[in-house]
Amino acid sequence: MHTHSTRPSHRFGYAYFALLAAAVFGALLLMVVSGWDMLFEIDVRVARDLHGWARENPGATQALRILTNWVWDPVTFRVLAAGLAAFLWLRGERRKAVWVVTVMTVGALAGVLCKTAVARERPMFVDPVDTAHGWSFPSGHALNGVLGCGVLLIGLWPLIPRRVRPFAVLAAVVSALGVGFTRLALGVHYLSDVVAGWALGVVVLAVFWAVVAVLWESAEAEITPEIDRRIDADRSELRVPG
């Protein structure tokens, strides 16, 4: 007898991460919009400390510029995601391909809309080590770092050897965290901007993976009973009368 599993535990897992990340993002958004003094003090203190470190270490600062402008730039992640989507589509994994494109597109739009709505100024220094344009909250680099690393890891997961998977996860986490650090150390974002970007990225990843999983499993549930009935009918024709 055929049974169909909707894997409810997986759905609950997606929902848990989405809700947790949404709570973090929502709390930071509320504190930034309301101008909560304690958050601002923390942001300024972290920004000043890292700015001082960046001024004292020009070699490291130059390395961070290369990482943030080339290796972990949002455009880099989008190009990689587009290549992944094309690869998955040609392999016949069209659900994942559509998911990759949707996540990157919706995530980018959500980031831009939030930046415009909040309109937070970036950190300002008399002697900046780097500059950036546009509004500050949330960090687009941090957001796209989570989105890009997430879709690459999930999309390629079945092709990654089991022994290599822990290193792949580590590389994705380090990259997502690393791009956020570059924005802080270069003085173009506050800590709350970066954390909000990470949180929003997790929300988009989890929500759209859960939506795709539910829609796909619902379609399978509708198709499977019909297949089972045909199989049962074929079996009944093959029975030998006793």
Side-chain angles (χ1 to χ4, degrees):
M1 180 179 179
H2 177 84
T3 59
H4 175 73
S5 172
T6 57
R7 294 174 290 180
S9 60
H10 287 198
R11 281 190 233 165
F12 288 140
Y14 306 143
Y16 172 78
F17 282 112
L19 289 174
L20 180 61
V24 173
F25 177 78
L28 289 172
L29 176 62
L30 181 61
M31 287 187 282
V32 169
V33 171
S34 63
W36 195 42
D37 291 338
M38 185 175 294
L39 178 67
F40 183 69
E41 290 174 4
I42 294 173
D43 278 340
V44 170
R45 187 181 305 116
V46 172
R48 287 176 177 171
D49 290 346
L50 286 175
H51 178 70
W53 175 84
R55 295 293 301 177
E56 295 172 359
N57 297 273
T61 301
Q62 181 59 29
L64 294 178
R65 290 195 192 98
I66 295 173
L67 287 172
T68 198
N69 292 328
W70 297 98
V71 180
W72 291 327
D73 184 75
V75 175
T76 302
F77 283 118
R78 289 166 189 159
V79 170
L80 291 174
L84 173 63
F87 171 73
L88 293 172
W89 187 272
L90 293 175
R91 278 175 53 89
E93 299 182 58
R94 297 186 175 181
R95 174 180 61 152
K96 276 189 180 180
V98 172
W99 174 78
V100 168
V101 174
T102 302
V103 164
M104 297 302 295
T105 303
V106 172
L109 290 175
V112 171
L113 290 175
C114 188
K115 280 177 178 286
T116 304
V118 176
R120 188 188 198 186
E121 296 286 350
R122 293 180 183 269
M124 298 181 65
F125 298 96
V126 177
D127 52 347
V129 297
D130 204 354
T131 58
H133 302 289
W135 301 112
S136 190
F137 183 94
S139 167
H141 275 71
L143 167 62
N144 284 280
V146 171
L147 296 177
C149 291
V151 297
L152 289 170
L153 186 64
I154 295 173
L156 297 174
W157 188 258
L159 303 179
I160 303 175
R162 290 186 178 275
R163 293 182 179 180
V164 181
R165 287 178 179 178
F167 300 100
V169 173
L170 179 61
V173 172
V174 169
S175 295
L177 294 178
V179 66
F181 177 76
T182 65
R183 308 310 284 169
L184 291 172
L186 294 175
V188 294
H189 276 295
Y190 292 112
L191 177 61
S192 56
D193 300 333
V194 170
V195 176
W198 288 333
L200 184 57
V202 172
V203 170
V204 175
L205 281 172
V207 166
F208 279 94
W209 186 250
V211 168
V212 170
V214 170
L215 292 178
W216 189 261
E217 289 173 1
S218 297
E220 287 179 340
E222 293 177 0
I223 295 172
T224 301
E226 183 64 28
I227 294 175
D228 288 343
R229 283 196 293 271
R230 288 203 302 267
I231 292 174
D232 292 338
D234 293 340
R235 286 176 178 172
S236 63
E237 293 176 359
L238 294 175
R239 286 175 188 160
V240 178

